[in-house]
Amino acid sequence: MLGRVAIASTPFDPEAEIAAFRKALDDSGAIVTFTGQVRPSRGDGSVTTLSLQHYPGMTERGIESMLDDAAQRWSLEAALVIHRVGDLRPHEPIVLVATASRHRRAAFEAADFLMDYLKSRALLWKSETGPNGKLWIEPRDEDYADAARWDRQPPGGR
Amino acid sequence: MLGRVAIASTPFDPEAEIAAFRKALDDSGAIVTFTGQVRPSRGDGSVTTLSLQHYPGMTERGIESMLDDAAQRWSLEAALVIHRVGDLRPHEPIVLVATASRHRRAAFEAADFLMDYLKSRALLWKSETGPNGKLWIEPRDEDYADAARWDRQPPGGR
Amino acid sequence: MAKLLFFGRLGDLAGGIERAVGLSEPHSVSALIAVLAAGDRLLGSALLEDRVRYALNGTIVDREALVEDGDELAFLPPVSGG
Amino acid sequence: MAKLLFFGRLGDLAGGIERAVGLSEPHSVSALIAVLAAGDRLLGSALLEDRVRYALNGTIVDREALVEDGDELAFLPPVSGG
């Protein structure tokens, strides 16, 4: 499997990345992408800045090993993870995951799996700064539960 | 929910469509896309043409009612289905599904659901023409089983 | 005239996707298939296969539905998209 | 000198993401936290919370691991990405 992990400290263009990802494919009929972007302010008109921090080197290695895990679980031709760090404004892309496989089920499940990892296990720390100050975000219980789904299906199980 | 269905008789650009879809969003933090494209020839060097036929009007209405069904099952801001018809060459996009929601689970599940519908229930007929002539394709057993997953969870179940 | 539409492999059997038939009186879908089978037994039996559905003016119907001049009847074999 | 890295809210508590400490002899992670706690009890207790993990030169370790000059020790509170 061709895997690529990038931590971007400036805005990236998800569709340009998806186009490049798709053009490099040979045998895949199915491409699934997930784009996460900063949601606008919370209805009160206030502007919120989202900040993301990573541990250079260790964060990338953790995501790369998660791509290896995905490659053992599913038959994928390629997988891509791009994650923003730094300060982000509403509507800016935070994360892009793309997966490609011969048939759609593998691509869907692998993208879902990678997002679950990024949400609650990757070495990334997210804070929101708004009119009431700075708040460090933790995964929702749902995010932990989502990630735990895959622990019950270790690699090689399918 | 903002829904759009298009049957395209000429090639379309998935990433341009995804970019337009994403730019029109207001409150969504999660965008999932599925792109299906023609897989290259089967290793024997032969070139195969894929042909897709639809029933103008009735096909679109069927897909639209499936978008309505998705809107009842999940909280989505927008959903898009573009499906090619006519003659397609290897690597040409066949189908694009895009879904947008506040959180990722709804967007993932709705895209998965829509693809299952398109694969085995939408009024589309697919044939392959290669060195051995023309073959009408039918869904794999797996495709029927995938679509049946949702029948067990009727709309309103979540 | 009623318009008949043959999708997928049924179009190959019918020698074309579209055919017009003049109906002096309403025919059930079954009766219409019997008329077609008289001219082409292979097509006739294909149109009666279990998994073939019928759409009259854009709505799925059963074989008892009545077709008359001006109607559009489509024969829909198993589908496959994506 | 050893380099200490405080991620997420631990950086706010430590007053910065990075701090250098001179270690004349190897210290366990626990001992190092005790030194830090002597200067800042709030930070000290935050570093001992159950969900905080420790990475020594890029590898997750427990509190018994020994840190010496030239090492990089990172304090990793609960993560959240995506």
Side-chain angles (χ1 to χ4, degrees):
Chain A
M1 188 198 74
L2 188 68
R4 186 183 150 221
V5 173
I7 300 293
S9 54
T10 53
F12 67 95
D13 177 341
E15 289 80 22
E17 299 289 349
I18 297 168
F21 177 81
R22 197 165 62 81
K23 281 197 180 60
L25 297 174
D26 174 29
D27 188 41
S28 292
I31 300 104
V32 170
T33 74
F34 178 88
T35 303
Q37 60 185 23
V38 184
R39 289 177 45 213
S41 47
R42 307 176 175 297
D44 59 357
S46 64
V47 174
T48 300
T49 299
L50 191 77
S51 295
L52 274 144
Q53 204 182 38
H54 78 305
Y55 185 0
M58 195 170 178
T59 302
E60 289 88 333
R61 283 196 303 278
I63 299 174
E64 279 157 11
S65 76
M66 201 41 46
L67 286 188
D68 292 342
D69 189 349
Q72 284 195 273
R73 290 170 185 261
W74 295 281
S75 176
L76 301 172
E77 182 180 347
L80 166 68
V81 172
I82 301 177
H83 207 295
R84 258 303 295 281
V85 293
D87 294 339
L88 286 81
R89 308 277 299 178
H91 296 295
E92 278 187 14
I94 306 169
V95 60
L96 171 67
V97 164
T99 54
S101 59
R102 291 167 65 96
H103 297 294
R104 73 189 183 289
R105 181 99 348 255
F108 265 117
E109 291 188 4
D112 197 6
F113 168 83
L114 291 170
M115 277 310 304
D116 285 347
Y117 172 78
L118 291 166
K119 275 279 172 182
S120 61
R121 300 192 180 176
L123 292 178
L124 293 157
W125 294 273
K126 183 157 62 179
S127 62
E128 266 180 12
T129 304
N132 301 320
K134 182 176 178 180
L135 180 72
W136 288 96
I137 314 279
E138 292 201 10
R140 302 167 299 161
D141 289 344
E142 194 182 329
D143 293 318
Y144 288 121
D146 281 349
R149 293 182 297 164
W150 309 104
D151 299 337
R152 295 189 296 270
Q153 292 175 20
R158 53 178 298 152
Chain B
M1 187 197 76
L2 189 67
R4 186 184 150 223
V5 173
I7 300 293
S9 54
T10 52
F12 66 95
D13 178 340
E15 290 79 22
E17 299 288 349
I18 297 168
F21 177 81
R22 196 165 63 80
K23 280 196 182 61
L25 296 174
D26 174 29
D27 188 42
S28 292
I31 299 103
V32 170
T33 74
F34 178 89
T35 302
Q37 60 186 22
V38 184
R39 290 176 48 213
S41 47
R42 310 179 174 295
D44 58 359
S46 64
V47 174
T48 298
T49 299
L50 192 76
S51 295
L52 274 144
Q53 203 182 40
H54 78 305
Y55 185 0
M58 196 170 179
T59 302
E60 289 88 333
R61 284 197 302 277
I63 300 173
E64 279 157 13
S65 75
M66 202 43 44
L67 286 188
D68 292 341
D69 189 350
Q72 283 196 274
R73 290 170 185 261
W74 296 282
S75 176
L76 300 172
E77 181 180 346
L80 166 69
V81 173
I82 300 177
H83 207 294
R84 259 302 296 281
V85 293
D87 293 340
L88 286 81
R89 307 277 299 178
H91 296 296
E92 277 189 12
I94 307 168
V95 60
L96 171 66
V97 163
T99 55
S101 59
R102 291 166 68 95
H103 298 293
R104 73 188 183 289
R105 181 101 345 257
F108 265 118
E109 292 188 3
D112 198 4
F113 167 82
L114 291 170
M115 277 309 305
D116 285 348
Y117 172 77
L118 290 167
K119 275 278 174 185
S120 61
R121 300 193 180 175
L123 292 178
L124 293 158
W125 295 273
K126 184 158 60 178
S127 63
E128 268 180 11
T129 304
N132 300 321
K134 182 175 179 182
L135 181 71
W136 289 96
I137 314 278
E138 292 202 10
R140 302 168 299 162
D141 289 343
E142 194 182 328
D143 293 319
Y144 287 121
D146 281 348
R149 293 183 297 165
W150 309 103
D151 298 336
R152 295 189 294 270
Q153 292 174 22
R158 56 179 297 154
Chain C
M1 304 292 271
K3 191 204 272 189
L4 306 184
L5 294 172
F6 304 92
F7 287 101
R9 63 183 170 76
L10 299 177
D12 291 347
L13 288 173
I17 189 180
E18 195 172 325
R19 190 183 294 192
V21 290
L23 298 173
S24 49
E25 59 189 44
H27 281 58
S28 69
V29 172
S30 296
L32 240 173
I33 293 175
V35 171
L36 296 167
D40 182 341
R41 286 181 59 182
L42 204 63
L43 176 63
S45 65
L47 297 179
L48 287 172
E49 279 173 20
D50 267 356
R51 296 193 300 162
V52 171
R53 290 176 297 161
Y54 314 102
L56 183 59
N57 302 321
T59 302
I60 299 291
V61 295
D62 64 22
R63 286 184 208 146
E64 311 312 310
L66 290 178
V67 185
E68 52 187 30
D69 272 354
D71 282 345
E72 180 173 287
L73 177 68
F75 296 96
L76 314 172
V79 297
S80 68
Chain D
M1 305 289 271
K3 191 205 270 191
L4 306 184
L5 293 171
F6 304 92
F7 288 101
R9 63 184 170 74
L10 300 177
D12 291 347
L13 288 172
I17 188 179
E18 195 172 327
R19 190 183 293 191
V21 289
L23 298 174
S24 49
E25 59 188 43
H27 281 58
S28 68
V29 173
S30 295
L32 239 171
I33 293 175
V35 171
L36 295 167
D40 182 340
R41 288 182 57 185
L42 204 62
L43 176 63
S45 66
L47 297 178
L48 288 172
E49 279 172 20
D50 266 358
R51 295 193 301 162
V52 171
R53 290 176 297 162
Y54 315 102
L56 182 60
N57 302 322
T59 302
I60 299 290
V61 296
D62 64 24
R63 287 185 206 145
E64 311 311 310
L66 291 177
V67 184
E68 52 188 30
D69 272 355
D71 283 344
E72 179 173 288
L73 177 67
F75 296 97
L76 313 173
V79 296
S80 67

